[in-house]
Amino acid sequence: HKNDSGKVNVCFVGRLEPAKGALIILELLQDLEDINWVDTFYIVGDGPSKKILENNKQNLPFEVCLTGWLSREKLNEVYTKCHLIILPSCASEGFPKVLAEAASYGCVPIVGNQSSIGQYIENNISGVLIDDLSPSNIKSVLSKLSKKRKKLISMVSSTFKWASLFTYSRYVFRIEEEIINE
């Protein structure tokens, strides 16, 4: 039950390193100076790019909350506040579990179209898949979403469907059915 008519909160969750897109996030944040609909941008994680992010967050027109690693409870609080999760990773991901975690809290993923991500997220239905991970392209995606709040709300409903594929009970069921009972 998030307010979808006011400003949005955005998060990045992961290792703060170039392969995960941490420096793309920094460039994006610097390029969002004319975006007045972002309230807070949460950056959760730690890694070699953290100092660079810390040194550059003061000059931004909105709040950047660089948290470091968080406990499960605190991370869930961030997901509860956020409308979008951005993961501009160029690394081979498999399927990053932070996407399913965030989606279960109503965060629409904006992600690089890597590995198996496109097998779960339907572009512009249950998230946004991006081939061009440049900060200017991600900014363009964010601008379009800000003008299409009804579309954003419908994406939230769709994210719950694929997020349910990543529950522990479903995992155990599949192990039992596909491996043990084969």
Side-chain angles (χ1 to χ4, degrees), residues 5-182:
S5 60
K7 291 186 174 191
V8 299
N9 293 317
V10 183
C11 66
F12 168 91
V13 179
R15 288 187 318 274
L16 302 181
E17 63 184 34
K20 289 291 191 174
L23 298 180
I24 292 172
I25 292 294
L26 175 60
E27 288 181 54
L28 172 66
L29 292 173
Q30 292 168 335
D31 196 31
L32 289 178
E33 60 196 32
D34 60 337
I35 300 293
N36 61 3
W37 49 270
V38 173
D39 187 30
T40 303
F41 200 112
Y42 293 88
I43 300 175
V44 179
D46 209 340
S49 300
K50 185 175 182 180
K51 269 285 194 236
I52 297 168
L53 289 161
E54 284 175 340
N55 292 336
N56 288 281
K57 75 175 196 169
Q58 292 82 4
N59 301 325
L60 299 169
F62 49 85
E63 183 180 355
V64 174
C65 188
L66 190 58
T67 67
W69 291 116
L70 295 175
S71 68
R72 167 61 44 206
E73 183 179 302
K74 294 290 184 188
L75 179 57
N76 291 346
E77 289 175 17
V78 170
Y79 289 147
T80 299
K81 295 175 189 175
C82 289
H83 300 81
L84 303 167
I85 181 168
I86 298 178
L87 188 61
S89 177
C90 60
S92 178
E93 289 287 349
F95 188 86
K97 71 178 182 175
V98 297
L99 297 178
E101 291 172 357
S104 69
Y105 284 87
C107 296
V108 174
I110 299 173
V111 293
N113 193 6
Q114 302 289 330
S115 304
S116 68
I117 292 172
Q119 294 173 3
Y120 296 96
I121 297 173
E122 294 179 81
N123 192 34
N124 293 315
I125 295 172
S126 58
V128 180
L129 298 173
I130 301 176
D131 293 316
D132 173 5
L133 293 172
S134 67
S136 62
N137 189 50
I138 297 171
K139 179 182 177 182
S140 174
V141 168
L142 290 172
S143 293
K144 288 175 187 171
L145 283 176
S146 76
K147 296 172 186 158
K148 297 179 179 180
R149 291 302 177 94
K150 287 184 181 178
K151 177 71 173 170
L152 183 61
I153 293 167
S154 73
M155 282 190 204
V156 170
S157 297
S158 296
T159 64
F160 290 131
K161 292 175 187 170
W162 63 260
S164 68
L165 299 174
F166 294 91
T167 63
Y168 184 71
S169 60
R170 184 170 187 275
Y171 173 77
V172 169
F173 173 78
R174 289 193 65 208
I175 295 290
E176 289 173 349
E177 289 297 312
E178 295 176 23
I179 296 174
I180 296 173
N181 297 334
E182 188 170 281

